[in-house]
Amino acid sequence: MSVVPESDTRIASLPSGVQSIQCRVSRELPFARAVLQSAWRWLLHRHEKRQSRRTLLALTDDELLDIGVTREDARKEAGKSFFWD
């Protein structure tokens, strides 16, 4: 079984053992893509949280009062690590 059409002359024919590896790799590509997408989403989520914490720190005292957060609470939240949930 080959994933490459037989009519494609740009690709040399491979021994049967190599073709099975070729098929196995092609099945693993969606998994690798899913892992990379998951990692990217995780990084984006962490970046958004970090940006939100910086925005919270930049609010004025009146704006913090409107949302019920003290300046000290805002400092604590903004000081959390990138990896903190």
Side-chain angles (χ1 to χ4, degrees):
M1 173 180 185
S2 175
V3 275
V4 179
E6 294 295 328
S7 61
D8 194 347
T9 57
R10 294 176 295 156
I11 301 196
S13 60
L14 301 170
S16 62
V18 176
Q19 287 177 349
S20 65
I21 292 172
Q22 186 179 9
C23 290
R24 193 173 329 134
V25 169
S26 68
R27 288 187 196 124
E28 291 174 1
L29 285 177
F31 174 74
R33 176 177 281 177
V35 169
L36 289 174
Q37 285 175 341
S38 177
W40 182 252
R41 280 192 299 267
W42 182 83
L43 283 171
L44 280 176
H45 175 71
R46 294 297 174 190
H47 178 71
E48 289 171 358
K49 283 182 120 353
R50 187 172 187 211
Q51 289 299 103
S52 296
R53 288 179 176 137
R54 286 182 175 176
T55 302
L56 182 65
L57 193 57
L59 294 177
T60 66
D61 289 334
D62 290 334
E63 292 169 330
L64 289 172
L65 184 62
D66 286 344
I67 61 172
V69 176
T70 65
R71 175 63 57 194
E72 184 60 28
D73 291 338
R75 283 190 190 112
K76 284 180 185 177
E77 187 65 27
K80 288 183 179 178
S81 167
F82 176 80
F83 297 102
W84 189 270
D85 195 55

